């Protein structure tokens, strides 16, 4: 399909008049094929038609007062990898593939409030605000787009990662996150959930900085300890604890229970980590007898975490035969009862 055919399709559309550059659509498709190996015409045209359908279906009208080609913001002042983008995408944009199809969201700042648009800076639609979130750094918002919820909140420029704190019992499905830099130079985190979540389900958000601090939107600084090449953290006031390890992350509300937070495997190497209740003692790994010849434990680390002296732990094991390399951790609680996690 060439550019003249794309122009004809757009001209025949019943949607309100808007500015769409067919060369930009084709170029965008070509850039996408390098990343996802999808047919560029189908992907580029589908994205354009989705924007048109949104306009017909009653989304807020297009704002064409300050349309500019997608590009990196000249006001960007951060080199954090959290804000590193595909060079073909403007720094104020976030591309998501969670939920129903791929979508691009542009983040703008209006009177100190972060707002969400669907589409790039050349053709977009303002999405309605369904939730507002505030902290000392600014004001974020959320919106619902098809089956997704999109949340944007302010974070510092030296942020390395950020996460939403969602109430227990609420299932967001899959979630994607990343950093954006608005054209005014402010930095923000964008979260896209696979399922709709209500604004009331968002308790807040937290971020980890280059300096090693883990800070919540409430202003609370988490207790942290380095372990397993990453960071374990605990927000005592919020009853939230978790981990940020290479290739492994997880969090939980409440008091530490069975000690297990998350595990993952890659290339026959198994990584498991968690947090134990105060007063716990690590007794060591337990390899199933049937796997004793095939599984070895590379590392077991543990360290006290937080003012209540919970115990953070990390374990790495490997399998030599392609089977499970999962290993349990044996530990004793303060009352003397022995557990396996």
């Amino acid at each position: 399909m060439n550019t003249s055919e794309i122009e004809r399709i757009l001209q025949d559309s019943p949607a309100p008049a808007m500015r769409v550059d067919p060369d930009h659509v084709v170029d965008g498709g070509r850039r996408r094929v390098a990343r996802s190996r999808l047919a560029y015409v189908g992907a580029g045209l589908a994205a354009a038609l989705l924007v048109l359908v949104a306009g017909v279906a009653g989304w807020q009208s297009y704002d064409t007062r300050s349309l500019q080609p997608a590009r990196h913001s000249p006001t960007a002042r951060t080199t954090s990898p959290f804000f590193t983008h595909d060079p073909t995408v403007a720094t104020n944009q976030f591309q998501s593939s969670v939920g129903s199809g791929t979508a691009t969201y542009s983040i703008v700042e209006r009177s100190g409030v972060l707002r969400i648009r669907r589409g790039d800076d050349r053709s977009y639609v303002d999405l309605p605000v369904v939730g507002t979130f505030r902290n000392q750094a600014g004001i974020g918002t959320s919106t619902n787009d098809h089956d997704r919820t999109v949340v944007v909140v302010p974070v510092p420029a030296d942020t390395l990662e950020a996460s939403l704190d969602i109430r227990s019992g609420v299932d967001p499905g899959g979630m994607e996150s990343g950093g954006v830099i608005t054209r005014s130079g402010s930095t923000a985190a964008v979260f896209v959930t696979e399922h709709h979540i209500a604004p009331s389900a968002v308790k807040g958000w937290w971020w980890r900085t280059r300096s090693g601090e883990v800070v919540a939107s409430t202003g609370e600084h988490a207790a942290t300890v380095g372990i397993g090449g990453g960071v374990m953290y605990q927000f005592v006031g919020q009853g939230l604890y978790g981990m940020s390890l290479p290739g492994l992350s997880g969090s939980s509300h409440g008091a530490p229970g069975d000690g297990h937070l998350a595990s993952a495997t890659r290339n026959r190497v198994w990584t498991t980590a968690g947090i134990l209740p105060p007063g716990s003692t690590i007794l060591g790994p337990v390899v199933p007898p049937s796997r004793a010849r095939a599984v070895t434990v590379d590392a077991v680390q543990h360290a006290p975490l937080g003012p209540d002296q919970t115990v953070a732990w990390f374990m790495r094991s490997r399998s030599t035969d392609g089977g499970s390399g999962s290993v349990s951790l044996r530990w004793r609680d303060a009352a003397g009862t022995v557990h396996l996690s």
Side-chain angles (χ1 to χ4, degrees), residues 294-311:
V295 175
T296 57
V297 178
D298 292 345
V300 179
Q301 298 178 20
H302 58 91
L305 171 64
D308 61 354
Q309 296 293 293
T310 58
V311 179

Side-chain angles (χ1 to χ4, degrees), residues 228-230 243-250 262-266 269-272 314:
M243 66 184 73
S244 176
L245 307 179
L248 186 67
S249 65
S263 61
T265 178
R266 182 179 182 184
V269 176
W270 293 69
T271 303
T272 311
F314 161 87

Side-chain angles (χ1 to χ4, degrees), residues 120-188:
D120 61 28
D121 287 341
R122 303 187 69 171
S123 58
Y124 57 81
V125 58
D126 289 320
L127 297 178
V129 173
V130 299
T132 302
F133 314 99
R134 183 190 303 267
N135 75 342
Q136 292 180 344
I139 303 174
T141 61
S142 67
T143 189
N144 293 326
D145 181 36
H146 301 286
D147 56 350
R148 294 175 284 247
T149 290
V150 186
V151 179
V152 57
V153 290
V155 293
D158 63 343
T159 295
L160 292 177
E161 67 171 319
S163 180
L164 276 184
D165 183 7
I166 299 176
R167 295 188 183 280
S168 299
V170 176
D171 178 19
M175 181 185 296
E176 293 179 331
S177 64
V180 295
I181 307 170
T182 69
R183 296 204 178 280
S184 61
S186 60
T187 48

Side-chain angles (χ1 to χ4, degrees), residues 27-38:
D27 288 343
R30 290 196 180 109
R31 287 191 293 268
R32 181 176 300 283
V33 74
R35 297 191 299 273
S36 61
R37 299 183 181 179
L38 295 176

Side-chain angles (χ1 to χ4, degrees), residues 88-271:
T88 66
V89 179
T91 58
N92 71 321
Q93 295 171 10
F94 181 79
Q95 289 188 332
S96 172
S97 58
V98 72
S100 58
T102 300
T104 297
Y105 297 101
S106 297
I107 306 304
V108 295
E109 186 177 17
R110 294 176 178 167
S111 302
V113 179
L114 296 168
R115 294 289 304 273
I116 304 164
R117 296 170 171 172
R118 194 179 201 283
D120 61 28
D121 287 341
R122 303 187 69 171
S123 58
Y124 57 81
V125 58
D126 289 320
L127 297 178
V129 173
V130 299
T132 302
F133 314 99
R134 183 190 303 267
N135 75 342
Q136 292 180 344
I139 303 174
T141 61
S142 67
T143 189
N144 293 326
D145 181 36
H146 301 286
D147 56 350
R148 294 175 284 247
T149 290
V150 186
V151 179
V152 57
V153 290
V155 293
D158 63 343
T159 295
L160 292 177
E161 67 171 319
S163 180
L164 276 184
D165 183 7
I166 299 176
R167 295 188 183 280
S168 299
V170 176
D171 178 19
M175 181 185 296
E176 293 179 331
S177 64
V180 295
I181 307 170
T182 69
R183 296 204 178 280
S184 61
S186 60
T187 48
V190 179
F191 306 96
V192 184
T193 65
E194 186 176 12
H195 306 149
H196 280 179
I197 60 172
S200 60
V202 179
K203 297 179 62 178
W205 65 98
W206 61 263
W207 57 87
R208 181 170 65 92
T209 67
R210 284 186 181 277
S211 64
E213 290 186 315
V214 181
V215 187
S217 54
T218 60
E220 180 181 1
H221 287 240
T224 61
V225 63
I227 192 171
V231 175
M232 309 289 273
Y233 57 87
Q234 182 183 29
F235 290 102
V236 177
Q238 299 182 86
L240 176 67
Y241 58 94
M243 66 184 73
S244 176
L245 307 179
L248 186 67
S249 65
S251 62
S252 181
H253 287 96
D258 66 0
H260 180 266
L261 273 177
S263 61
T265 178
R266 182 179 182 184
N267 297 330
R268 300 184 181 182
V269 176
W270 293 69
T271 303

